[in-house]
Amino acid sequence: MKVDYITQSEKLEEVLEKLKDKPYVFLDTEVAVKDFEKIDYFKDKIRLIQLGTYDDIFVLDAYKIEKDKLEKFLKEVLENKGVIGHNLKFDLKFLATNFGVYPKVVFDTYIASKILSKGDNSQKHSLSALTTRLTNQEIDKSYQTSPWWIENLTKEQIDYAAKDIDALRNVYKEQVLQINQEEAPLKSSGETYKVFGVKNPVVALEMAFLPYLVKMELSGIPINQEKLNTLIKESKSKFQNLYIDFKRKYGVDPMSPQQVVNFLTKRGIKLPKTEKGSFSSQDIYLKDYEDREEVRLLLQIRYEKKNLDKLEELENYVKDGRVYGEFKQIGASTGRMSSYKPNLQNIPRSLKHIFQAPAGYKFIIADYSQIELRIAAEYTKDENMIKAFKEGKDLHKLTASIITGKNYDDITKEERNLAKAINFGLIYGISPKSLVEYAKNNYGVSITLQEAKIFHENFFRYYSAFKEWHEKTKEYLEKRKFIEQQTLLGRKLIAYKFTDAVNYPIQGSGSDLLKMAVVLFNRSLDDLDAKVVNLIHDEILVEVAEKDLEKTKEVLSQAMERAGRYLLKEVPVAFEINVSQTWNKD
């Protein structure tokens, strides 16, 4: 393995000459990080940038080469070619903060591995694991956290850095072969196909989405730090007072699950048993006893503690009035993203008002309407559900009418809420018994088992395509023990349980739809002062300058419409777009 270690600016011209005709390069970086548990993309520095082709490997020392010349070189190479790497989000964020470099056409072997695994959570996706699995070779990662900040690197460090490029070359080649063997209902035709020869539309979408996810993470989401600090003080004081009151009054630690269970059972409150045989005092089981002072106080304490924990978590990630979170691009089997450090996808409604656009800016809050039901109707081709959406009917009111036998126009708010639970529960195949719990836990609606059975029967009689799909899926699973499902775009997912088998393709299609809308939106922004700052399953949050508000709303609306029409052929897409100073809709 021939490696060129570059420490002089003059050598960059020679490297550029060798790379000029290549459609893509392999990329890796080594960074001088103070704390790998809390990486600071704005302060930590890149030490080495490894670039490779199938003929050459170059290791560029960022501490030795003049920064302005290295920056110019990296922009010329990485912004005008395809870039292949592993867990590229990490490298792309450092390239952006250290050098202002933003590659546009990328292939991430980590993301490709997640897609190829078809939702199998037992598979590992590190470069080391992929190298072993796909090439029967092994790579040593022991130098990953070595002292990259020392003035003169050792030969072992430079060789280690180069070996990752060699591993990447072999893994990438195998992955493209596997990807192109997979059949898909739609075909890729964009830059990912042109540069890397990748035909699969799911891979093309995820790779196109990645650079925009990097920008979103580096943008952060604006927060009113003064409000945050005030709320933390108030919540801490309120929690402490409630805690002390409870302990004084009842002699019980309200934060001790065992003490709480013993206390409640002695007072005649019936608690359900867990699978392990112990009693559970979760909030959902205490809702029926809210008229009792001790239960009401206990629920208040828990509410304040959750709020306080969330506020303090946010405080840990605030920097200059913005919260910088991390996202897993494929955080669930379905392709949905997940958020952590901090989790920006589960901010309670009561706290959204502290996320506030700065002066001269607004938030655009865009939500796809009843998107899972629309996708489910498209997926099953259920004629009654498709007809309802085409007629612009409120599907929750329609379902309420069907299950209760009442006229559509006479449906009450409570009946519509019940139908919500039924729609979202039954499309995913839950039983009447589970429906009772689901309606109670998620929508606060109490129904009997007998009522649930009647609703279940009426739902599937009217939406018969769902019944047929569910029965076929159950039958297939009984015979084969697993089933391979796919989203409307062609994301393949293997399920072993019935509820997963009917959930995966619907939620997965929703994930595909959202990512596609984000890609189309970003590509059409041109010079508008607007950026996506958060994504929550079916919601897009955009921060925009007031001067560009109307134009950005139009661009976002067109992107959401185009993405919807690309995946939904029979069912019309619908969404809401609201403008607000805070994340709460005004």
Side-chain angles (χ1 to χ4, degrees):
M1 183 178 68
K2 182 177 173 291
V3 180
D4 286 335
Y5 176 47
I6 311 294
T7 58
Q8 297 173 324
S9 306
E10 302 76 45
K11 292 283 185 181
L12 293 177
E13 283 300 320
E14 294 176 25
V15 178
L16 198 60
E17 184 64 25
K18 288 188 177 180
L19 296 178
K20 71 175 184 180
D21 295 325
K22 306 295 182 184
Y24 53 76
V25 292
F26 297 93
L27 167 77
D28 191 28
T29 60
E30 304 302 336
V31 294
V33 170
K34 288 179 183 175
D35 181 2
F36 269 94
E37 291 300 310
K38 201 169 183 181
I39 294 169
D40 189 332
Y41 291 95
F42 297 94
K43 288 184 179 175
D44 291 331
K45 299 296 180 187
I46 291 180
R47 175 60 191 267
L48 296 181
I49 300 137
Q50 303 95 276
L51 299 175
T53 66
Y54 281 110
D55 302 312
D56 300 286
I57 296 176
F58 305 100
V59 178
L60 282 57
D61 195 327
Y63 282 20
K64 307 276 186 182
I65 303 169
E66 292 172 62
K67 186 176 179 181
D68 59 335
K69 291 182 178 175
L70 181 56
E71 186 175 304
K72 184 184 175 188
F73 167 84
L74 291 172
K75 275 184 175 290
E76 192 164 344
V77 173
L78 300 180
E79 292 186 353
N80 295 297
K81 293 181 184 296
V83 173
I84 300 162
H86 186 82
N87 195 19
L88 260 178
K89 182 159 72 78
F90 177 89
D91 305 288
L92 296 186
K93 285 173 79 171
F94 271 112
L95 285 169
T97 57
N98 279 224
F99 300 105
V101 173
Y102 294 89
K104 301 175 189 70
V105 183
V106 302
F107 185 100
D108 186 340
T109 53
Y110 172 77
I111 295 296
S113 179
K114 297 276 275 188
I115 296 167
L116 285 167
S117 74
K118 301 178 183 178
D120 180 358
N121 291 323
S122 68
Q123 285 193 26
K124 293 181 179 177
H125 306 286
S126 66
L127 184 59
S128 177
L130 285 182
T131 302
T132 303
R133 191 159 69 239
L134 298 179
T135 70
N136 292 320
Q137 296 175 347
E138 290 189 5
I139 53 172
D140 178 14
K141 299 301 289 181
S142 58
Y143 277 88
Q144 188 171 26
T145 56
S146 66
W148 293 105
W149 57 85
I150 60 176
E151 185 178 350
N152 296 310
L153 297 174
T154 65
K155 183 179 184 303
E156 287 78 15
Q157 284 178 299
I158 294 161
D159 287 346
Y160 162 82
K163 281 175 185 172
D164 275 1
I165 294 292
D166 191 42
L168 258 178
R169 297 190 291 203
N170 297 324
V171 166
Y172 165 75
K173 191 186 290 183
E174 288 297 319
Q175 283 187 334
V176 171
L177 286 173
Q178 288 185 22
I179 288 164
N180 286 341
Q181 284 170 1
E182 294 283 350
E183 291 292 325
L186 301 165
K187 294 294 179 191
S188 166
S189 59
E191 289 300 311
T192 308
Y193 170 71
K194 290 175 189 171
V195 176
F196 306 114
V198 169
K199 299 173 187 175
N200 187 294
V202 177
V203 176
L205 172 62
E206 292 287 5
M207 301 312 171
F209 177 75
L210 176 54
Y212 300 123
L213 178 58
V214 167
K215 285 190 175 182
M216 184 177 85
E217 287 192 7
L218 290 176
S219 295
I221 178 171
I223 193 167
N224 186 320
Q225 209 158 344
E226 195 176 317
K227 271 188 186 177
L228 174 64
N229 294 337
T230 301
L231 275 178
I232 288 172
K233 284 178 188 173
E234 289 175 357
S235 186
K236 195 174 284 185
S237 174
K238 198 170 181 182
F239 168 71
Q240 286 171 347
N241 289 336
L242 287 167
Y243 179 93
I244 291 165
D245 285 351
F246 192 94
K247 200 160 186 184
R248 277 180 183 161
K249 193 165 189 177
Y250 302 110
V252 171
D253 180 353
M255 301 314 294
S256 165
Q258 191 56 55
Q259 286 188 38
V260 167
V261 163
N262 292 338
F263 168 70
L264 293 175
T265 51
K266 281 176 185 174
R267 288 180 164 251
I269 292 174
K270 293 179 182 177
L271 299 174
K273 283 192 174 183
T274 65
E275 289 178 2
K276 293 180 179 178
S278 57
F279 288 104
S280 173
S281 65
Q282 287 182 28
D283 290 4
I284 54 173
Y285 303 127
L286 299 183
K287 293 286 185 185
D288 292 334
Y289 301 94
E290 277 188 283
D291 57 325
R292 295 180 56 160
E293 186 187 5
E294 67 270 34
V295 173
R296 190 167 59 251
L297 188 54
L298 184 63
L299 290 173
Q300 274 185 298
I301 290 167
R302 289 178 176 178
Y303 174 80
E304 285 303 330
K305 184 67 170 74
K306 283 176 193 167
N307 257 12
L308 180 58
D309 287 347
K310 177 53 72 176
L311 290 165
E312 288 181 334
E313 184 194 19
L314 290 171
E315 185 185 33
N316 289 333
Y317 295 94
V318 176
K319 189 186 184 80
D320 300 324
R322 303 182 79 88
V323 177
Y324 294 91
E326 293 264 353
F327 288 79
K328 288 182 181 176
Q329 185 171 333
I330 300 179
S333 300
T334 56
R336 267 189 173 184
M337 293 193 301
S338 61
S339 173
Y340 62 106
K341 292 184 179 180
N343 189 338
L344 291 169
Q345 292 183 318
N346 76 338
I347 304 296
R349 189 184 298 272
S350 60
L351 297 182
K352 285 187 174 180
H353 67 96
I354 62 175
F355 292 90
Q356 186 175 319
Y361 287 79
K362 295 282 188 186
F363 279 139
I364 299 174
I365 307 158
D367 304 82
Y368 277 109
S369 304
Q370 299 181 353
I371 195 61
E372 286 186 24
L373 295 173
R374 290 173 189 272
I375 289 167
E378 180 82 27
Y379 194 84
T380 60
K381 299 290 185 276
D382 187 276
E383 291 180 6
N384 282 333
M385 200 175 277
I386 291 172
K387 182 171 179 280
F389 280 128
K390 282 183 174 176
E391 291 174 355
K393 285 188 174 173
D394 178 333
L395 200 77
H396 298 318
K397 278 182 72 175
L398 177 63
T399 298
S401 168
I402 292 153
I403 62 170
T404 61
K406 288 176 66 173
N407 287 332
Y408 176 85
D409 293 328
D410 296 333
I411 294 301
T412 65
K413 187 179 178 182
E414 290 72 22
E415 287 165 340
R416 184 183 182 277
N417 207 32
L418 167 63
K420 247 183 166 179
I422 288 165
N423 278 335
F424 290 123
L426 297 189
I427 64 167
Y428 294 137
I430 65 174
S431 66
K433 185 182 176 184
S434 297
L435 179 60
V436 173
E437 294 174 14
Y438 181 77
K440 177 73 175 170
N441 299 344
N442 293 279
Y443 295 92
V445 177
S446 295
I447 56 174
T448 66
L449 180 57
Q450 188 57 38
E451 286 173 325
K453 285 177 179 176
I454 294 167
F455 297 155
H456 192 276
E457 190 179 324
N458 290 348
F459 180 93
F460 285 112
R461 185 185 298 124
Y462 189 76
Y463 301 121
S464 56
F466 282 92
K467 185 179 182 182
E468 188 181 340
W469 177 42
H470 287 183
E471 285 175 351
K472 280 183 179 176
T473 303
K474 281 179 182 172
E475 190 180 323
Y476 191 96
L477 278 169
E478 281 173 14
K479 286 181 183 176
R480 310 286 180 91
K481 306 303 177 192
F482 72 92
I483 188 169
E484 183 176 284
Q485 301 282 48
Q486 68 176 3
T487 65
L488 295 172
L489 186 63
R491 185 187 300 271
K492 295 191 176 177
L493 304 159
I494 293 173
Y496 298 89
K497 294 192 298 186
F498 168 69
T499 48
D500 289 341
V502 294
N503 174 297
Y504 283 176
I506 309 304
Q507 284 203 357
S509 295
S511 170
D512 296 341
L513 176 64
L514 188 80
K515 289 174 180 176
M516 191 180 296
V518 170
V519 170
L520 292 171
F521 171 67
N522 276 286
R523 284 179 176 171
S524 305
L525 271 178
D526 296 326
D527 295 326
L528 295 174
D529 186 357
K531 55 195 172 190
V532 177
V533 291
N534 203 4
L535 296 168
I536 312 94
H537 306 321
D538 58 1
E539 179 183 327
I540 301 171
L541 185 65
V542 174
E543 181 186 352
V544 57
E546 289 176 355
K547 65 182 178 64
D548 290 330
L549 178 60
E550 291 307 315
K551 182 63 179 169
T552 302
K553 277 171 64 182
E554 186 183 327
V555 170
L556 182 58
S557 179
Q558 288 171 354
M560 293 176 78
E561 179 74 30
R562 277 180 65 198
R565 279 199 307 231
Y566 188 78
L567 289 185
L568 301 175
K569 309 299 183 187
E570 300 287 331
V571 181
V573 68
F575 48 85
E576 284 184 8
I577 290 183
N578 293 279
V579 175
S580 176
Q581 196 62 46
T582 72
W583 189 0
N584 268 349
K585 297 171 189 175
D586 289 345

